[in-house]
Amino acid sequence: MTDKDSPSSEEGTFEDCQEAFGDAESDFEKLEVEKITNTIKDLEIADDFSLENLHSFFAKSFSDEIDISAYILGYREVYKFLTLLGSVFSWVAVDVQVKIDILHKYNTGDNKENYQTLKSMIHYEVENGMILKKKRDDPSGSRTFLRLHRALEYVVLFLGKLDNINHEDKCAPISREAYETTLQKHHIWAIQKAAKLAMGLLPTKGGLVQKVCPDATKDTDALKKVESDFRMAVESMNKVFQTSQGLYEEKDLLNIP
């Protein structure tokens, strides 16, 4: 086993991640962990993830209002990407899928005229007192989108750092750095611990590229295209993230739990 293959003190097995979930202490923490662990077993690994679709759907979503239908399609690609990372990231993928489904119901439901863009959704729910700022389980569309928005920041930062490492380098350090800068502050301690252990099991950059495009390891042109597609996807996701950030900030909703 080489130094690059040997686990660091921050790495662990999938069983270690499950044990970390068991460290939850309060009733709220235990309930949050139970929601995650009860649904992990139903996760299916996607076989149709597309970097091109990831880029194009978020690009279509981008405007000064953010189109929710295209955002949902873009996020379905994010979900597929998370499943490619294997069972160690399954709890993240499951949580994302649940929130995508909730947002889709708002976008296509009886009151769908108010849920076509992020701007119109926030305006409608604020005006009608639908966002319960101190209630974590508030199922409003605006809070659901905000949870996805926070996760998107992590994805953008993590994938944006791929250009900074070599193909033989592990993705764990840049993933942890991105997580600590973004999502960590929104997670209970047990989930923080499990997340960091999970990231220790991420592959090298080359291994990640192979999951996305198996041919890239043998074809130089395919590899260059994958790297270019990653950059384009990060750029389109970041544009959507920054605009969404501004819309939430205008209504002082960024820090609701």
Side-chain angles (χ1 to χ4, degrees), residues 77-97:
E77 293 300 319
V78 172
Y79 165 80
K80 293 175 186 178
F81 174 74
L82 291 172
T83 70
L84 291 179
L85 299 180
S87 59
V88 72
F89 259 60
S90 56
W91 60 275
V92 182
V94 166
D95 189 48
V96 163
Q97 183 63 63

Side-chain angles (χ1 to χ4, degrees), residues 26-44:
S26 69
D27 289 341
F28 170 74
E29 288 181 345
K30 290 176 180 177
L31 181 59
E32 288 292 289
V33 168
E34 184 179 1
K35 289 178 184 177
I36 293 170
T37 55
N38 282 347
T39 48
I40 283 177
K41 61 181 180 294
D42 297 324
L43 183 75
E44 294 184 4

Side-chain angles (χ1 to χ4, degrees), residues 42 116 135-136 149 166 246:
D42 297 324
Q116 296 308 299
K135 189 176 180 181
R136 286 180 177 271
H149 172 72
N166 299 317

Side-chain angles (χ1 to χ4, degrees), residues 3-196:
D3 290 341
K4 286 185 178 295
D5 293 329
S6 60
S8 71
S9 60
E10 291 185 288
E11 294 176 351
T13 65
F14 182 46
E15 287 72 22
D16 291 329
C17 299
Q18 292 178 309
E19 288 178 10
F21 280 136
D23 290 338
E25 296 179 354
S26 69
D27 289 341
F28 170 74
E29 288 181 345
K30 290 176 180 177
L31 181 59
E32 288 292 289
V33 168
E34 184 179 1
K35 289 178 184 177
I36 293 170
T37 55
N38 282 347
T39 48
I40 283 177
K41 61 181 180 294
D42 297 324
L43 183 75
E44 294 184 4
I45 306 300
D47 59 4
D48 59 345
F49 169 70
S50 167
L51 272 173
E52 292 180 347
N53 285 343
L54 180 64
H55 161 63
S56 64
F57 288 139
F58 275 103
K60 290 177 182 177
S61 174
F62 178 69
S63 71
D64 59 351
E65 297 194 3
I66 305 298
D67 182 88
I68 291 179
S69 295
Y71 186 90
I72 290 171
L73 291 174
Y75 231 109
R76 291 199 189 283
E77 293 300 319
V78 172
Y79 165 80
K80 293 175 186 178
F81 174 74
L82 291 172
T83 70
L84 291 179
L85 299 180
S87 59
V88 72
F89 259 60
S90 56
W91 60 275
V92 182
V94 166
D95 189 48
V96 163
Q97 183 63 63
V98 169
K99 290 173 174 54
I100 292 173
D101 290 344
I102 293 173
L103 195 60
H104 176 71
K105 288 178 181 179
Y106 280 113
N107 181 243
T108 59
D110 294 338
N111 202 15
K112 62 184 180 182
E113 65 273 9
N114 294 303
Y115 291 89
Q116 296 308 299
T117 69
L118 175 60
K119 186 173 184 178
S120 65
M121 176 175 70
I122 292 176
H123 175 77
Y124 172 73
E125 292 191 339
V126 167
E127 290 298 308
N128 288 277
M130 298 171 65
I131 305 172
L132 308 178
K133 293 188 177 182
K134 296 183 179 180
K135 189 176 180 181
R136 286 180 177 271
D137 58 350
D138 163 29
S140 65
S142 298
R143 179 178 253 103
T144 300
F145 191 108
L146 181 60
R147 300 279 174 80
L148 293 172
H149 172 72
R150 290 167 176 169
L152 187 64
E153 184 180 21
Y154 158 74
V155 173
V156 168
L157 196 55
F158 168 42
L159 296 184
K161 291 177 179 291
L162 285 177
D163 271 347
N164 300 334
I165 63 174
N166 299 317
H167 278 262
E168 65 273 17
D169 292 336
K170 287 192 173 183
C171 291
I174 61 172
S175 178
R176 286 199 190 98
E177 183 180 345
Y179 176 75
E180 290 169 356
T181 306
T182 58
L183 278 175
Q184 178 172 283
K185 60 181 173 287
H186 302 296
H187 286 164
I188 59 175
W189 183 82
I191 292 179
Q192 290 179 22
K193 182 178 178 182
K196 290 184 179 181

